Amino acid sequence: MGGTAGDLVRLVAMGHGRSRAELARLSGMAPSSVSLRVEELIDAGLLREDGEGASRGGRRPRQLRLHESAGVVVAADVGSHHVRMAVMDLAGRVLLTHELPGEIAEGPEAVTERLAGHVRLTLRQAQVSDLPLLGIGVGMPGPVDPASAKVVAPSRMPGWNDYPVRERLTELLGVRVVVENDANLMAVGEHRYGWPGRDNLMAVKAGTGIGCGIIASGRLHRGRGAAGDISHVPVHAAQRVTCSCGHSDCLEAHASGAALCRTLRAQGIEVSSTGRLVELVNNGVPEVTNLVRNAGRLAGQVLTPLVNFFNPDVVVLGGGLSAAEPFIAAVRGAIYERCLPLATRDLEIATTVTGQDACMLGAGSVVLDEVLTSNWVDETLTPRS
């Protein structure tokens, strides 16, 4: 860790540098230099110092915190039929959340313009319109190229292929924008807010579609954009089904919420959403319960070799289908039955700690990382001519 003002702010934001003495120890800077920097950051309205921390002998140190008026970010989880949005301060605390309807199938221009309007509305509702908006994090329900931030060859998103989400939102709102796949953001959100001590984690998002995010050694693993994409792994199924990718018997074609709804409608059971699917399971409708249980078995079939290969600390199950106990039980059963004992000896398989907010919290976390690793802090301290 270096000794710039930005480095010190990041240490405070991560909860590591809670006092001037801790900042000096972690940054390697002289205590006098740290005190000078901290005074500058307090004067600039980026940090505040109050309360008292634990004493290690001598005077109790005062606690450093990010100043709540330093700025905010907006996090957005764009789903197939909704947008969940939050305003967060620079310490990652959520100031306001709400959910708005929206159809991803309306196309990129309509959705992006509406999303920009939702951002402005959310800032007004949170009563923070007078604070600097420093960035926006957006989760998309499809593959995202990490270099260009464009959606690439998505399922159930007509017109979105190669659409420049980041550039368009930047044009509309004039701030930095980070765009990422929703399963990746779910993994980040769960790691930061639910399992901070588990640095090897797989997060499976099973809703309208199916995806997986990977935290390896405490960091999101993106690969070249397709890491964790389990949706098109082939599965063994009794009936042959052609997937939207053109291949047969992909996991998503059999076990996603969209696939299950399609199968039930063909059987004369009208189901329009994954939420309604779970309601029927919880009401004990046998045809639906059996179908959801089989979906969990297929998901577990795909996850088994991945658990053996990656050997994570925890597998987190989220998305709409994670509210159906037969789905969760079938995933657990398949993994524990087929994985090597060494791979499952200390493995936890759990539903999300953060629930439906996981992706949204992950979006906030990644844009906060972008802000705090940029030159923003140092630029804030530079006097304007």
Side-chain angles (χ1 to χ4, degrees):
M1 177 64 71
T4 69
D7 293 330
L8 299 184
V9 170
R10 283 193 292 279
L11 285 169
V12 175
M14 292 185 293
H16 301 320
R18 292 162 293 187
S19 69
R20 299 186 189 208
E22 286 184 348
L23 287 179
R25 178 173 56 84
L26 293 168
S27 68
M29 294 172 64
S32 58
S33 298
V34 167
S35 287
L36 181 61
R37 283 291 193 186
V38 167
E39 290 298 336
E40 291 176 343
L41 290 165
I42 290 173
D43 291 343
L46 299 182
L47 293 182
R48 63 186 177 93
E49 192 173 34
D50 54 22
E52 290 186 334
S55 174
R56 295 184 178 180
R59 293 174 55 188
R60 294 163 67 88
R62 301 190 73 196
Q63 292 270 54
L64 287 167
R65 296 179 176 84
L66 289 173
H67 202 293
E68 55 270 16
S69 64
V72 295
V73 298
V74 171
D77 170 15
V78 180
S80 297
H81 309 292
H82 74 278
V83 176
R84 286 188 61 77
M85 195 166 283
V87 178
M88 302 168 70
D89 67 16
L90 296 189
R93 292 182 293 257
V94 175
L95 307 179
L96 175 83
T97 65
H98 67 185
E99 183 169 320
L100 299 153
E103 296 293 325
I104 199 75
E106 288 181 13
E109 280 297 328
V111 171
T112 306
E113 289 182 13
R114 186 170 60 245
L115 185 59
H118 289 339
V119 169
R120 299 185 188 100
L121 173 64
T122 305
L123 291 170
R124 290 196 299 271
Q125 289 182 337
Q127 298 181 340
V128 293
S129 296
D130 57 330
L131 299 183
L133 174 61
L134 301 175
I136 301 165
V138 181
M140 299 298 298
V144 174
D145 181 343
S148 67
K150 293 180 179 179
V151 179
V152 181
S155 303
R156 302 177 311 280
M157 293 174 66
W160 282 88
N161 185 46
D162 272 346
Y163 183 77
V165 182
R166 180 176 62 195
E167 283 74 9
R168 184 65 179 126
L169 280 174
T170 300
E171 287 174 10
L172 293 169
L173 295 166
V175 296
R176 80 177 69 242
V177 177
V178 179
V179 182
E180 185 57 83
N181 168 260
D182 57 356
N184 283 349
L185 292 180
M186 177 182 151
V188 173
E190 276 293 295
H191 178 241
R192 296 278 180 90
Y193 290 84
W195 306 86
R198 309 299 180 87
D199 282 347
N200 295 291
L201 176 149
M202 293 170 60
V204 180
K205 191 172 190 291
T208 304
I210 293 183
C212 179
I214 301 167
I215 301 294
S217 299
R219 299 172 64 87
L220 175 64
H221 177 65
R222 294 182 174 91
R224 292 196 297 270
D229 189 351
I230 63 174
S231 55
H232 300 292
V233 175
V235 294
H236 301 293
Q239 186 174 359
R240 186 181 179 90
V241 176
T242 301
C243 181
S244 60
C245 71
H247 294 289
S248 297
D249 296 335
C250 295
L251 176 64
E252 187 164 287
H254 285 279
S256 66
L260 300 181
C261 289
R262 184 176 61 247
T263 299
L264 288 169
R265 286 195 294 269
Q267 296 175 4
I269 302 174
E270 191 55 40
V271 183
S272 58
S273 68
T274 305
R276 177 57 181 157
L277 194 74
V278 173
E279 285 179 16
L280 293 175
V281 171
N282 293 337
N283 287 330
V285 178
E287 299 92 338
V288 183
T289 301
N290 288 337
L291 201 63
V292 168
R293 183 180 293 113
N294 184 62
R297 181 185 63 79
L298 293 174
Q301 180 186 116
V302 168
L303 291 171
T304 294
L306 303 181
V307 169
N308 276 336
F309 177 78
F310 179 47
N311 196 194
D313 303 311
V314 58
V315 174
V316 178
L317 303 175
L321 287 176
S322 69
E325 185 55 38
F327 179 85
I328 300 299
V331 171
R332 283 195 179 111
I335 291 174
Y336 284 127
E337 178 184 353
R338 298 298 304 274
C339 280
L340 295 171
L342 185 60
T344 58
R345 184 176 59 186
D346 299 314
L347 175 69
E348 289 195 57
I349 304 174
T351 54
T352 56
V353 175
T354 56
Q356 61 183 348
D357 291 338
C359 175
M360 184 179 68
L361 292 172
S365 295
V366 296
V367 73
L368 281 170
D369 286 347
E370 287 273 331
V371 169
L372 295 174
T373 54
S374 70
N375 293 325
W376 167 72
V377 172
D378 299 298
E379 289 168 356
T380 302
L381 294 180
T382 303
R384 290 176 173 80
S385 56

